Amino acid sequence: MKILIAASEAFPFCKTGGLGDVVGALSQMFSRLGDHEVVLFLPKYRNIGGGAFSLSAVGGNFLIPVAGKIETASMSRVQWGKVSVYFIENAKYFDRPGMYRTQYGDYKDNDERFIFFSRAVLEGAKFIGFKPDIIHCHDWQTALVPAYLKTLYRLDSFFVKTASVFTINNIAYQGMFAKKALIKAGFDWSDFMPDKLEFYGGMNFMKAGIVFSDIITAVSPTYSKEIQSYGEFGKGLEGVLKHRSKKLFGILNGIDEEIWDPASDTFIKRGYDVKTFAKGKASCKRALQTECLIEENKQLLLAGVVSRLDNQKGLDILCKIIPELVDKMQFIILGAGDEKIANALNKLAKTYPKRVFFKSGFDEALAHKIYAASDIFIMPSRFEPCGLSQMIAMLYGSLPIATKTGGLKDTVFYTGEPKSSNGFLIDAANEKSLRSALGKAVSLFKRKLLWNTMIKNAMNGDYSWDASAGKYLEIFKSVHKDRFKSLKF
Ligand code: ADP
């Protein structure tokens, strides 16, 4: 199959969170599993290029209408294993310090930026002569691609056999704009209907992806159900999703085990596997305690956090109970995002310098060290589409304490019996539940045999992409076959 992946981020080129990990890993998996030609389209943000990847320019350019003006797109490319990566260039839209926002908030023209990108994906495919069987889009930033295929490009012979798959990585970010975005994107007012692009008087990009794609996926089986239920999970799109229920599948994310492997990880003090974790983790713990200038003490339970600082992640709940826990345990927290949460964490680190360390910002090396050094990994998420961090933590022998929601529920098991558990689950993201789970962890940590049984369960889990990437490919094959069948020659 010819597979075109369109996304706003992909590791190792650009990443703000799990979306980048998922797109990067899936592109590689698709190219390795079977005889598929895989092309990945990304925006060319300011910091892309250089380092390990030297991009070459694709000669020429093409024009994209946006908001009544004509914008120019050019492209550069790099071969990344078997994946051809194309970067769409337009200095006005993408040569900026951040990918989506400044520290003061989202870029005001994010609608135009991703209208431009989504349309440039289709024009770019034509430009390089790549006729995709499948276009796989991710989240609101590329959600207009399926909508274009079913409207403006419906009669375009270049895409006559192209089917679209839209993956919801996080429904909390929908790309909601004023209704004039419809016209900026080149759609017709007749598409501004509640069953199409209209959403409470505005235009919702994610809704466009859900309504117009041939298949929708969500990043874990539990999340695919949660987002169809009324309440906070569907974020207003539950009705639209329910309507397309038969075309919606939950496929659990995996993690890239070439990047995340405690045995070969060059960021950490000492490599280890499931047989040697006791010595390996002890050495990593000592090294990180020293590096972070907190008390060097192997008897203290060390809790790690690597997270976006966002209401979703429930770290405000953790902040509230840290003062009552610091006599029993330590915390090393790495996070970027919400200033209020960062301030609260900074204050805690200042008040308890031997027990709490906080670094604000994005730091790949420190993240690896935290996964390896910590005994437990805290994720009191209010909702969690899939979550990669808990899987990375488990692979590194750090037991997650996580809310029973979304992908956390699908990957963390707690039965009350250490021999059949790989972490701790809390029923809801609140202080009481988190306090009680942390209490359980503190006392179980002293019973080394039981604790180590749980570490082995966690480290022996299968978090690879193999099964899930295979499921995507099966869906691609079947939707492509359906698309082909539906054509009237
Ligand atoms: P989300 O996509 O909601 O941010 P996930 O758990 O799915 O959460 O993925 C988070 C990914 O981003 C993990 O690879 C995690 O290690 C990484 N990450 C999150 N915050 C940071 C940070 N401040 N520094 C380094 N890596 C981070």
Side-chain angles (χ1 to χ4, degrees), residues 49-274:
F53 299 101
S54 63
L55 313 187
S56 44
V58 177
N61 51 45
F62 48 96
L63 304 175
I64 306 291
V66 182
K69 292 169 283 180
I70 300 292
E71 301 291 343
T72 304
S74 53
M75 289 203 287
S76 44
R77 77 176 288 279
V78 69
Q79 192 62 32
W80 177 38
K82 284 170 70 187
V83 180
S84 303
V85 188
Y86 286 88
F87 297 95
I88 307 269
E89 300 192 22
N90 176 293
K92 182 175 96 181
Y93 290 134
F94 299 124
D95 186 8
R96 300 183 184 188
M99 286 164 56
Y100 313 122
R101 61 197 315 269
T102 67
Q103 64 186 114
Y104 304 109
D106 290 346
Y107 290 127
K108 293 278 180 289
D109 60 348
N110 269 349
D111 55 347
E112 277 190 34
R113 297 174 77 221
F114 291 100
I115 285 168
F116 170 82
F117 179 65
S118 295
R119 200 144 176 191
V121 164
L122 296 173
E123 291 300 327
K126 284 183 173 183
F127 191 70
I128 59 171
F130 185 81
K131 267 189 191 169
D133 296 313
I134 296 290
I135 300 189
H136 187 192
C137 307
H138 291 263
D139 285 355
W140 74 265
Q141 293 91 339
T142 50
L144 294 188
V145 175
Y148 280 134
L149 282 173
K150 291 267 165 70
T151 55
L152 297 180
Y153 290 77
R154 195 169 52 90
L155 299 176
D156 191 321
S157 62
F158 193 85
F159 295 109
V160 71
K161 286 188 230 152
T162 304
S164 63
V165 174
F166 178 60
T167 293
I168 300 171
N169 292 266
N170 192 340
I171 207 161
Y173 302 95
Q174 298 184 355
M176 182 71 197
F177 300 98
K179 65 180 172 192
K180 60 176 186 265
L182 182 101
I183 299 304
K184 289 185 189 173
F187 294 110
D188 193 86
W189 280 118
S190 63
D191 294 319
F192 197 66
M193 308 275 271
D195 62 339
K196 291 185 178 166
L197 298 172
E198 194 262 350
F199 189 71
Y200 294 103
M203 178 163 170
N204 182 315
F205 283 30
M206 183 163 272
K207 181 178 173 184
I210 296 169
V211 170
F212 286 107
S213 57
D214 293 301
I215 293 285
I216 308 141
T217 71
V219 289
S220 69
T222 296
Y223 193 58
S224 74
K225 293 190 193 92
E226 284 174 346
I227 54 179
Q228 295 179 65
S229 68
Y230 291 89
E232 68 167 311
F233 290 112
K235 307 276 175 201
L237 287 174
E238 53 277 349
V240 184
L241 282 161
K242 238 188 155 123
H243 191 68
R244 296 223 61 203
S245 197
K246 287 204 178 96
K247 301 284 178 190
L248 168 60
F249 300 90
I251 304 179
L252 193 69
N253 284 336
I255 49 180
D256 190 331
E257 292 178 324
E258 274 176 26
I259 297 165
W260 299 107
D261 175 7
S264 61
D265 193 324
T266 51
F267 288 114
I268 65 177
K269 181 75 182 169
R270 177 176 178 157
Y272 59 90
D273 59 22
V274 71

Side-chain angles (χ1 to χ4, degrees), residues 320-374:
K320 287 200 189 110
I321 61 171
I322 281 181
E324 48 189 282
L325 294 163
V326 283
D327 59 330
K328 300 184 203 81
M329 57 191 293
Q330 292 179 319
F331 300 85
I332 297 188
I333 301 166
L334 167 65
D338 187 287
E339 217 175 317
K340 235 170 90 188
I341 305 173
N343 289 342
L345 288 165
N346 264 324
K347 209 166 142 198
L348 287 164
K350 269 203 189 109
T351 315
Y352 309 104
K354 294 287 168 205
R355 295 292 165 96
V356 182
F357 172 86
F358 170 60
K359 177 170 177 190
S360 170
F362 198 91
D363 185 336
E364 193 71 30
L366 181 58
H368 283 248
K369 291 177 193 172
I370 293 176
Y371 288 118
S374 55

Side-chain angles (χ1 to χ4, degrees), residues 9 11 15-22 169-170 173 219 253 255 260 305-310 312-313 333-337 359-368 371 377 379 381 383-392 408:
E9 53 183 277
F11 185 82
K15 161 176 161 178
T16 63
L19 171 66
D21 288 322
V22 169
N169 292 266
N170 192 340
Y173 302 95
V219 289
N253 284 336
I255 49 180
W260 299 107
V305 173
V306 178
S307 181
R308 284 186 295 114
L309 302 182
D310 183 281
Q312 171 193 342
K313 302 290 181 180
I333 301 166
L334 167 65
K359 177 170 177 190
S360 170
F362 198 91
D363 185 336
E364 193 71 30
L366 181 58
H368 283 248
Y371 288 118
F377 191 86
M379 285 182 86
S381 306
F383 63 93
E384 194 60 72
C386 178
L388 300 176
S389 300
Q390 83 281 9
M391 291 193 261
I392 302 171
L408 296 174

